[in-house]
Amino acid sequence: MLVDKTVEAIIETQNLLLSHNLVDPKTIDNNIHAVVIGSGIAGLLAARVLTNHFAKVTIIERDYLSSQSEPRRGVPQSQQPHLLLTRGQIILEQLFPGIKDELATHEATLIDWTADFKWLLPGGWNPGFSSGITSRTCTRNLLETVIRQRLFSNKKVEFLEGTTVINLLTDTTQSFVKGVCLRDSKGVEVNLNTQLVVDASGRKSHAIKWLKNLGYEVPQETKINSFLGYASRLYQVSDDSYLDYKALYIMPKAPTNPRGAVLYRVESNRFLVNLIGVGRDYPPTDEDGFLNFAQSLRSPQIYEAIKNALPLSPINGYQGTDNCWRHYERLPKFLENFIVLGDAVCAFNPVYAQGMTVAALGALTLDECLKKHKRFSGNGNISLGLSRRFQKQLAKVNAEPWLASTGYDLRWPKTEGGKASFVTRLMQRYMDQIMIVAVKNAFVYKLLIEVIHLLKPPTVFFQPAILTQVLKLQVQRLYCRS
Ligand SMILES: Cc1cc2nc3c(=O)[nH]c(=O)nc-3n(C[C@H](O)[C@H](O)[C@H](O)COP(=O)(O)OP(=O)(O)OC[C@H]3O[C@@H](n4cnc5c(N)ncnc54)[C@H](O)[C@@H]3O)c2cc1C
């Protein structure tokens, strides 16, 4: 199903007028149709907010999409653990009211992140208490399917499946995007006109190549790679009465112990186990190697949980985990009405579980930018400068999660792509103290969880009550040494 013919005709006429400078782009009534490239989490959430502003939203996805929750080729990471942070869950509920309950009906597990989550920090196990900081854990496939189903039933949204975007279409001056060139599954190329193109095609986005071909500057790229690898497997929960947690994390301990693991409950009475190795200490994907690696961790809990458990999947490895930021926000000139978001702009080391929540924040940023543009242009249309302003706003959203993710990765001696600055080293030392205090102090631990779940900014660690705790710890240590 393609966009309806009347909509196509209106867009074509408008683009013709635009390309011949016969009309002021600010006054043309052009909030008709938007295209989103990619139906990953970023694309789906962007499409949802675009329905607030456009009559029609087309999501173009190279994969065929199933109504069942199952892996697909376009997102090879979907076999790996995908924890949705509490902030992400809050935004999801805001965009799709009732989705939390829907996840519950699919048996996604409710986790109170201070009560049900056991975490071996560098200084010991976390204190356990209820806080109400919750989200539901499930597989990435289920989460994506539930969101997709919501959009399937939205009359403004259409999906073009098995279709790949191969290029952008612009006006003759190459200043405005006016559509996309598609290739369908039979290899037939089709042009689709539209007013706004959102690229949410993930880490392998072709946006840089497309923009370069149009004569735009290539954005700088910052890559920080700690060479972290995953090996993951699903298990049947048979008798978990011996488990006093719903999720468990044995954190690698920088800079000396690069091994860690995560275990958490997902739908259909299963748990997902994910072994982690930093600095190319990749966890093996063969049976014996996997178990031996689990046995070598700082704590035996995960090995104990899996040694006799029934595996339900092969062991899936994954290694493309670098932090990669393409700085579109720094470009002096940008293609009008073209937006890039999600992993296509900024992808994080997944071990910090930030990607989907940052994608959700990106969607809210797009919504805000479109609202502001409506107010400025007065007539409800998108207008000049939207793309640049959006990319700049998005950079502000990405900045904190980026610092958190790269700040920790730069502790590892084999990390490539940058060195910790003096300020970063100071912050690392301070965070070491926070993590030590958090083991014994529930208030500080709760704050740590809130910051990790992007509910509070890291600046909360500098409030006097926390500084006092850290100072006390320093004094105690000096006292013990003397
Ligand atoms: C191993 C791993 C584990 C992760 N764990 C977590 C986690 O625990 N928590 C968390 O929040 N995040 C996690 N993430 C990050 C998360 O997957 C992403 O940040 C998030 O899903 C946003 O990705 P995206 O939608 O931008 O891109 P993707 O999920 O990569 O989706 C891109 C989509 O675009 C489609 N596509 C690509 N090119 C084209 C084209 N030319 N035409 C049409 N379609 C196209 C692809 O088929 C795909 O469907 C993890 C990532 C990895 C790699």
Side-chain angles (χ1 to χ4, degrees):
M1 175 181 55
L2 273 181
V3 181
D4 119 16
K5 287 284 168 223
T6 341
V7 171
E8 282 264 298
I10 297 170
I11 297 168
E12 211 158 314
T13 315
Q14 290 181 355
N15 283 332
L16 197 70
L17 293 171
L18 273 171
S19 61
H20 288 85
N21 292 329
L22 292 174
V23 64
D24 177 354
K26 274 191 230 147
T27 61
I28 200 160
D29 181 17
N30 56 5
N31 281 8
I32 300 167
H33 181 223
V35 155
V36 177
I37 311 171
S39 72
I41 303 292
L44 295 173
L45 301 183
R48 164 61 194 85
V49 304
L50 288 172
T51 61
N52 296 343
H53 307 275
F54 289 82
K56 188 111 202 160
V57 179
T58 305
I59 304 175
I60 302 170
E61 171 55 52
R62 64 185 174 187
D63 280 349
Y64 286 98
L65 302 166
S66 160
S67 58
Q68 304 300 314
S69 151
E70 54 192 39
R72 55 187 181 86
R73 256 181 57 191
V75 279
Q77 75 268 32
S78 67
Q79 315 260 35
Q80 302 298 331
H82 269 70
L83 288 164
L84 182 63
L85 302 179
T86 304
R87 179 79 181 277
Q89 173 119 20
I90 291 169
I91 298 172
L92 205 62
E93 184 66 23
Q94 188 182 330
L95 295 177
F96 301 99
I99 203 161
K100 260 193 316 194
D101 295 340
E102 211 174 318
L103 286 169
T105 62
H106 289 281
E107 299 174 349
T109 309
L110 183 68
I111 298 211
D112 180 316
W113 288 101
T114 55
D116 306 320
F117 171 56
K118 272 188 90 171
W119 178 6
L120 183 57
L121 292 123
W125 291 100
N126 62 301
F129 57 95
S130 299
S131 64
I133 305 169
T134 60
S135 60
R136 288 201 177 261
T137 56
C138 60
T139 59
R140 147 96 190 227
N141 298 325
L142 175 64
L143 185 64
E144 199 182 277
T145 308
V146 170
I147 301 172
R148 199 165 60 224
Q149 290 300 336
R150 286 292 190 106
L151 291 174
F152 273 146
S153 56
N154 185 326
K155 288 200 173 66
K156 285 187 170 182
V157 179
E158 68 171 359
F159 283 81
L160 292 184
E161 303 172 35
T163 305
T164 305
V165 174
I166 53 173
N167 215 341
L168 299 174
L169 305 172
T170 65
D171 68 321
T172 48
T173 64
Q174 303 188 332
S175 313
F176 285 85
V177 94
K178 64 170 207 172
V180 285
C181 178
L182 318 171
R183 188 184 295 125
D184 69 17
S185 54
K186 294 185 192 110
V188 178
E189 289 182 15
V190 183
N191 287 349
L192 175 64
N193 288 341
T194 183
Q195 277 75 46
L196 187 79
V197 175
V198 174
D199 178 19
S201 60
R203 280 181 182 251
K204 295 200 175 133
S205 153
H206 292 295
I208 291 182
K209 186 182 81 185
W210 295 334
L211 289 169
K212 196 174 164 203
N213 289 344
L214 291 168
Y216 288 86
E217 238 177 74
V218 169
Q220 292 163 345
E221 192 175 82
T222 313
K223 246 188 198 182
I224 300 205
N225 196 348
S226 65
F227 299 96
L228 177 144
Y230 276 0
S232 302
R233 190 173 218 185
L234 279 163
Y235 291 88
Q236 180 74 53
V237 175
S238 45
D239 169 24
D240 67 345
S241 52
Y242 63 95
L243 300 179
D244 59 344
Y245 52 82
K246 295 181 189 166
L248 185 139
Y249 178 32
I250 299 170
M251 186 182 180
K253 192 173 170 181
T256 49
N257 190 335
R259 295 187 172 191
V262 177
L263 177 158
Y264 68 96
R265 288 191 67 131
V266 296
E267 69 277 9
S268 310
N269 219 21
R270 296 172 297 171
F271 59 88
L272 184 53
V273 170
N274 164 232
L275 304 184
I276 301 161
V278 190
R280 294 195 179 87
D281 182 16
Y282 298 127
T285 52
D286 64 287
E287 301 285 336
D288 289 347
F290 191 78
L291 275 181
N292 289 341
F293 193 98
Q295 210 169 7
S296 72
L297 298 172
R298 284 200 287 145
S299 153
Q301 252 102 336
I302 289 194
Y303 173 72
E304 294 298 330
I306 63 173
K307 68 178 183 200
N308 296 320
L310 178 68
L312 296 173
S313 75
I315 301 166
N316 296 301
Y318 198 95
Q319 294 174 5
T321 61
D322 51 288
N323 301 280
C324 178
W325 190 347
R326 294 161 188 151
H327 294 283
Y328 288 101
E329 79 283 2
R330 293 185 190 159
L331 292 180
K333 196 168 161 251
F334 202 62
L335 182 61
E336 297 289 349
N337 299 340
F338 180 56
I339 297 285
V340 195
L341 47 66
D343 281 12
V345 173
C346 193
F348 304 91
N349 180 342
V351 80
Y352 309 107
Q354 302 185 110
M356 297 190 295
T357 299
V358 177
L361 288 165
L364 290 190
T365 307
L366 180 60
D367 194 33
E368 273 308 304
C369 282
L370 284 163
K371 270 186 208 151
K372 273 193 191 144
H373 269 262
K374 269 189 186 171
R375 279 204 295 274
F376 289 144
S377 56
N379 59 2
N381 299 322
I382 53 174
S383 57
L384 286 172
L386 167 80
S387 306
R388 276 197 77 205
R389 254 169 251 150
F390 169 77
Q391 298 305 150
K392 282 185 186 300
Q393 283 305 116
L394 185 68
K396 289 182 190 160
V397 169
N398 288 333
E400 255 171 29
W402 175 264
L403 274 181
S405 177
T406 57
Y408 203 86
D409 280 358
L410 287 170
R411 291 161 180 257
W412 298 102
K414 291 184 184 161
T415 295
E416 288 179 9
K419 287 238 168 312
S421 64
F422 176 68
V423 177
T424 307
R425 285 202 306 276
L426 273 185
M427 279 302 293
Q428 288 172 342
R429 292 246 174 104
Y430 188 69
M431 283 311 296
D432 287 344
Q433 307 304 310
I434 294 284
M435 284 203 255
I436 291 169
V437 176
V439 169
K440 299 213 170 76
N441 183 314
F443 175 68
V444 176
Y445 181 66
K446 182 166 174 253
L447 220 50
L448 183 61
I449 288 290
E450 286 170 324
V451 171
I452 287 170
H453 282 258
L454 303 179
L455 296 165
K456 287 191 174 162
T459 45
V460 293
F461 292 131
F462 296 99
Q463 57 183 279
I466 309 296
L467 281 164
T468 316
Q469 293 293 334
V470 170
L471 275 175
K472 257 195 207 162
L473 180 77
Q474 299 288 5
V475 172
Q476 271 169 14
R477 284 180 154 183
L478 279 175
Y479 184 72
C480 290
R481 260 189 232 152
S482 57

